[in-house]
Amino acid sequence: MDDVARALEIAASLGVEGIRAEALPGGNQNHVVRVRSVDDDIVVRFARAPERSGDPFDVEAWCLRATARSGVRTSDLVARGRLEGLSYLVASYVPGEPAAPEDLQGWEAIGEFTSALRGISTRDAPDALFSRFGRDLDAAWEQHLVYNLASLEPDDPLISLGVYPRSRRCELRDVVVSVSTRKLPQGVIHGDAAHRNLLRDGGIYTVIDWGAASVGPVMWGDLERIFRWHRLGDKESPVSDAAWECVLEGAGLSRTEAEPVVRDLAAVHALDVVRWAIDIRPDRLDEIVADSRDVLAAMIFTPERSRS
């Protein structure tokens, strides 16, 4: 059964007799199909890979409900369930087109959106949203940093993998310590706050796709990823200098306030994700090592930072 036929089957199980259905672009992990009837206009999502079919979409469903309560514009949750063992999520269709990379007003809206996430409580969030360090967000963040600091030992396997040279180990320890001294509020992070996940309908912007949501330094985690795209010239998520300025304006920050924080957070992420790959995804290790090496070169091992 193809993805459109399966989406129609899911819709029918919910009482929506689709008279028109079309696959939508942009779903890397899930099939995304718009289904329309006389009374309904919905988007049905389910996993592309059979091994992901057990994913119950708990995090995405919770994020849709939580952000709606907070006033952030996103799609409405219609249903989450299973059909013949296949997990699915159904949301309302949001009119509009993905914002263009050069849409500066859209980037400002993303900055405003990441800042607004600070108002979301995680009290009733599913366990899948949280890291391995538990539901206490402040304690989990502290343990995350303690783990990454303790891992920067002389025999760190990241050195032999070429993620960073041994001569820079103490410098990276200083970065992790610097992050630990910052009082960063913890909360929900969208995880993929890119132009392609922002729909524009006239002057109205709506954020979609919560598949990468997690917890961490709220707004800072999203800003760090956007800055990474900017500094590394990411082709899938291009962020110009003007776009980055607009993101910061929307978040109510200046470059001098934001960039020291996001540079250090990017370094911690670059180290941590390699350790994750070693333990969980060795099939992706080479790719992640190369990416992390680039991040550290762009964020930490720079002439201007060495002079500061």
Side-chain angles (χ1 to χ4, degrees), residues 78-298:
V78 174
R80 181 185 67 81
R82 290 179 180 273
L83 182 66
E84 299 176 358
L86 179 68
S87 180
Y88 66 79
L89 181 143
V90 181
S92 61
Y93 175 77
V94 177
E97 298 293 331
E102 61 272 14
D103 182 351
L104 298 183
Q105 186 178 350
W107 284 112
E108 185 174 347
I110 285 176
E112 293 172 355
F113 154 69
T114 60
S115 180
L117 293 181
R118 288 179 292 185
I120 296 177
S121 169
T122 59
R123 185 175 306 160
D124 62 344
D127 288 342
L129 183 72
F130 300 90
S131 77
R132 65 189 183 281
F133 296 114
R135 297 179 64 94
D136 184 323
L137 298 188
D138 290 328
W141 179 245
E142 181 180 354
Q143 286 303 305
H144 170 74
L145 296 175
V146 167
Y147 162 74
N148 277 282
L149 184 62
S151 300
L152 287 165
E153 292 297 317
D155 60 350
D156 187 355
L158 272 61
I159 297 173
S160 59
L161 285 170
V163 177
Y164 68 89
R166 188 179 305 275
S167 61
R168 299 281 196 164
R169 185 178 66 88
C170 291
E171 184 177 356
L172 290 173
R173 289 181 63 87
D174 290 343
V175 168
V176 180
V177 169
S178 174
V179 172
S180 69
T181 64
R182 300 181 186 276
K183 301 300 182 183
L184 301 178
Q186 302 295 305
V188 177
I189 298 169
H190 180 275
D192 196 15
H195 61 92
R196 62 182 176 278
N197 289 327
L198 188 72
L199 298 181
R200 178 174 184 167
D201 185 21
I204 298 175
Y205 293 91
T206 304
V207 179
I208 61 170
D209 195 348
W210 293 85
S214 63
V215 293
V218 65
M219 105 167 164
W220 291 106
D222 282 314
L223 294 178
E224 177 268 314
R225 185 161 188 170
I226 295 168
F227 187 63
R228 245 191 296 151
W229 294 331
H230 168 55
R231 284 303 301 266
L232 272 65
D234 190 279
K235 293 181 179 179
E236 185 179 4
S237 305
V239 182
S240 67
D241 197 61
W244 174 238
E245 290 278 7
C246 287
V247 171
L248 293 179
E249 183 175 347
L253 296 167
S254 68
R255 293 185 82 140
T256 54
E257 291 174 299
E259 291 189 2
V261 182
V262 294
R263 285 176 189 273
D264 286 354
L265 286 175
V268 174
H269 173 82
L271 298 170
D272 186 71
V273 73
V274 176
R275 304 190 197 286
W276 170 82
I278 292 171
D279 293 338
I280 307 298
R281 291 297 302 269
D283 58 306
R284 293 188 57 200
L285 184 58
D286 289 346
E287 162 206 348
I288 290 173
V289 163
D291 288 345
S292 291
R293 188 186 299 122
D294 289 346
V295 169
L296 292 175

Side-chain angles (χ1 to χ4, degrees), residues 3 20 33 35 42 44 81 84 118 124 134 194 231 238 244 252 260 267:
D3 55 336
R20 185 176 176 185
V33 180
V35 177
I42 59 175
V44 180
E84 299 176 358
R118 288 179 292 185
D124 62 344
R231 284 303 301 266
W244 174 238

Side-chain angles (χ1 to χ4, degrees), residues 27-56:
N28 293 325
Q29 297 295 326
N30 300 298
H31 291 292
V32 184
V33 180
R34 180 184 181 185
V35 177
R36 282 176 275 185
S37 70
V38 173
D39 299 316
D40 300 283
D41 195 350
I42 59 175
V43 174
V44 180
R45 303 179 66 224
F46 54 96
R48 288 184 177 275
E51 62 269 21
R52 293 192 70 246
S53 61
D55 181 355

